[in-house]
Amino acid sequence: MSHPQIDKRDGAGAPDLLRSHYEGNRLAQEGRLAEAISQWELSLKDAPRSVSTHYNLGVAYYQKKDFPKALAHWETVVALDPGHGEANYALGLAYCGQGLLDHAIGAFQRHLKTKPNHPGALNNLGLALAQQGRFDEAIQHFVGAVKADPKHAEAYYNLGTALYEQGKLAEAIEALSKTIALQNDHAAAYHNLGLCHERLGDCEAGEKAFREAQRLEPNYAPTYFNLGLLYHQWQRYEDAIANYLQAKALGFDNSLLRYKLGLVYAAVDKKYEALKVWQSALTEDADGPLAAEIHAQITVLFT
């Protein structure tokens, strides 16, 4: 994701009215962000309609993850200059950070009117649409992003993920493979590639992808759970148990994992281990969607 950047022009020869603004720019360039913010806030007292000062304050607060203040300054920029493309792009990012997806979509669309081939805006617009489940529209924008920037690894990753959600697995594999070709340490791309192969029943390719994801991101619990599912499907039960338990140790502990773990214990005739893990699932979620199935499995196991 490309982020908005502070305007760091030094203001040589600028009128005294803008001295605080350019002093803020100098401090920001030196990495003294808190002091820069103080200077820009001071500058607004003299020039409250300064588009560049409001824009820089928005960037600074965005970098500090103070999204409400960032939004306030960038909204002021757009109110003063509706065609300010960079402010609309920045607004889109901040709205996403606040979960305001409709607002984000509108801001990115306004930015794209001035810069229709901006890969960052196309990619982030696609992300916002995907979060709303609007995958057809999201895919169009991800495709636009990689056309505008064929080396945009994250756009390929997002494209592959959206295609996976639509069940277009061959196309998803192609996009995720391009992500990896551009960025071979992209753990999430390997993970999602594993999901694609798992759904296609290609256990060997799925295992390879999940194992690489584990190597790159050893503490990401869902990879262990999904590799456990693959081994379970492959009837490599001891490997499935090991991965389910590792996912559980890393915090991925829910009734679905316990249900699956119980099934594998039952498959290797570890009845009481299965019973124990199923009972723990029922204790935690007695009325959950898997409760009836767990009761049925216990009945079968001990009949």
Side-chain angles (χ1 to χ4, degrees), residues 21-213:
H21 171 83
Y22 288 112
E23 177 65 9
N25 291 2
R26 183 186 68 80
L27 291 165
Q29 195 162 13
E30 294 175 1
R32 298 157 64 182
L33 196 57
E35 295 171 78
I37 288 172
S38 296
Q39 287 296 316
W40 288 325
E41 295 285 9
L42 181 63
S43 176
L44 285 181
K45 292 180 180 180
D46 293 322
R49 295 175 61 83
S50 171
V51 168
S52 57
T53 304
H54 279 293
Y55 179 77
N56 281 359
L57 278 165
V59 176
Y61 283 122
Y62 180 83
Q63 290 177 358
K64 291 170 69 69
K65 299 190 184 303
D66 189 338
F67 296 123
K69 286 185 179 178
L71 282 170
H73 284 288
W74 285 333
E75 285 171 347
T76 300
V77 172
V78 173
L80 293 168
D81 181 5
H84 195 295
E86 293 307 316
N88 278 306
Y89 177 61
L91 267 176
L93 296 177
Y95 283 136
C96 284
Q98 291 288 91
L100 301 170
L101 297 179
D102 285 334
H103 287 76
I105 289 167
F108 289 133
Q109 288 173 335
R110 289 193 299 273
H111 175 75
L112 287 166
K113 286 181 180 178
T114 61
K115 293 187 177 180
N117 295 315
H118 188 291
L122 289 163
N123 179 56
N124 284 294
L125 176 54
L127 278 174
L129 291 163
Q131 287 181 64
Q132 293 188 331
R134 297 161 63 181
F135 291 111
D136 285 334
E137 295 169 81
I139 286 168
Q140 289 177 13
H141 288 91
F142 294 141
V143 169
V146 298
K147 284 182 178 178
D149 179 5
K151 294 186 178 180
H152 199 311
E154 204 61 26
Y156 275 117
Y157 168 73
N158 293 328
L159 173 60
T161 302
L163 289 165
Y164 170 80
E165 292 292 342
Q166 288 200 321
K168 298 176 180 178
L169 301 179
E171 295 172 67
I173 288 170
E174 181 180 358
L176 292 167
S177 297
K178 287 181 179 177
T179 305
I180 292 165
L182 291 165
Q183 186 181 336
N184 64 7
D185 62 349
H186 200 302
Y190 280 108
H191 174 266
N192 288 1
L193 186 61
L195 291 176
C196 291
H197 288 303
E198 178 184 24
R199 191 181 288 187
L200 286 170
D202 188 344
C203 293
E204 290 185 4
E207 178 189 30
K208 182 179 178 181
F210 284 137
R211 293 289 293 255
E212 185 61 16

